Amino acid sequence: MKIGIVGLQGAVSEHLEATERAMQKLGIKGEAVWVGRPVQLEGVDGIIIPGGESTTIGKLMRTTGLFEQVKQLATGGKPILGTCAGLIVLAKRGDEQVMRTRQPLLGLMDISVIRNAFGRQRESFEVNLEIPALGEEPFSAVFIRAPAVEEVWGDAKTLAEFQGKIVAVQQGSLLAVAFHPELTPDTRLHEYFLRMCQR
Ligand code: GLN
């Protein structure tokens, strides 16, 4: 199995490591690769768009040609995981901050997002989050200037909420979380995504 991590800006190496740890746990032979150009997406079974700065990631995806390529692959059913800024990039609709900066959105998921949804005083925090899809044990979720999903519609399904805000969503082969699963030792979210990539 080959998983491509969009490596233009943000938490890239952490995702490479977490993905490879999850592969080992599941006994999957494979590798996670750093992707900076469309040609590097050849033969991937899944793609991860990491956290970072969504305006920058979106713009760099445009200039490198990754934007169109990822969109095309996702439309064809290729599984995509977006974390934090990656969640924003996957969304169909954004708040006024997104509109103002005119940041490029892939528009793949039936979700609307609010950037920096958890306010200044709570810029970064870690919580035990109930994510039933990952099992009974709560998931230790790191939020860093995190977005939230304001609304889901169509085929998008809420997987987790925190303080009444939606923070994890799945829509078929697309998975988006507002937190950083690559920053904690728990690999269950990456394992969940890899199983989506095996189908
Ligand atoms: N606040 C960032 C944004 O809006 C996301 C933060 C993150 O990815 N940790 O792009």
Side-chain angles (χ1 to χ4, degrees), residues 50-55 83-86 88 97 103 115-116 143-147 178 180:
E53 188 56 46
S54 59
T55 44
T83 64
C84 204
I88 300 169
Q97 203 182 344
Q103 62 185 102
R115 283 183 70 188
N116 306 310
F143 290 79
I144 304 170
R145 294 186 306 284
H180 284 259

Side-chain angles (χ1 to χ4, degrees), residues 127-172:
V127 288
N128 283 329
L129 198 63
E130 303 283 341
I131 313 178
L134 300 186
E136 265 178 38
E137 180 90 12
F139 191 90
S140 178
V142 177
F143 290 79
I144 304 170
R145 294 186 306 284
V149 174
E150 187 167 37
E151 204 191 327
V152 303
W153 65 92
D155 296 325
K157 306 244 173 335
T158 299
L159 296 185
E161 286 184 36
F162 173 64
Q163 291 184 338
K165 295 185 169 107
I166 300 165
V167 293
V169 181
Q170 182 171 1
Q171 180 174 344

Side-chain angles (χ1 to χ4, degrees), residues 67-137:
F67 192 88
E68 281 312 317
Q69 184 75 5
V70 169
K71 194 164 179 163
Q72 203 179 323
L73 289 169
T75 310
K78 193 72 71 188
I80 316 276
L81 164 64
T83 64
C84 204
L87 171 146
I88 300 169
V89 175
L90 286 173
K92 278 205 176 136
R93 288 212 301 259
D95 59 5
E96 64 285 358
Q97 203 182 344
V98 174
M99 305 294 270
R100 192 165 13 91
T101 56
R102 296 213 197 127
Q103 62 185 102
L105 301 182
L106 287 167
L108 292 164
M109 291 184 80
D110 294 337
I111 58 176
S112 61
V113 293
I114 313 171
R115 283 183 70 188
N116 306 310
F118 292 93
R120 276 180 182 277
Q121 69 279 26
R122 305 214 59 186
E123 278 203 338
S124 299
F125 56 96
E126 190 166 348
V127 288
N128 283 329
L129 198 63
E130 303 283 341
I131 313 178
L134 300 186
E136 265 178 38
E137 180 90 12

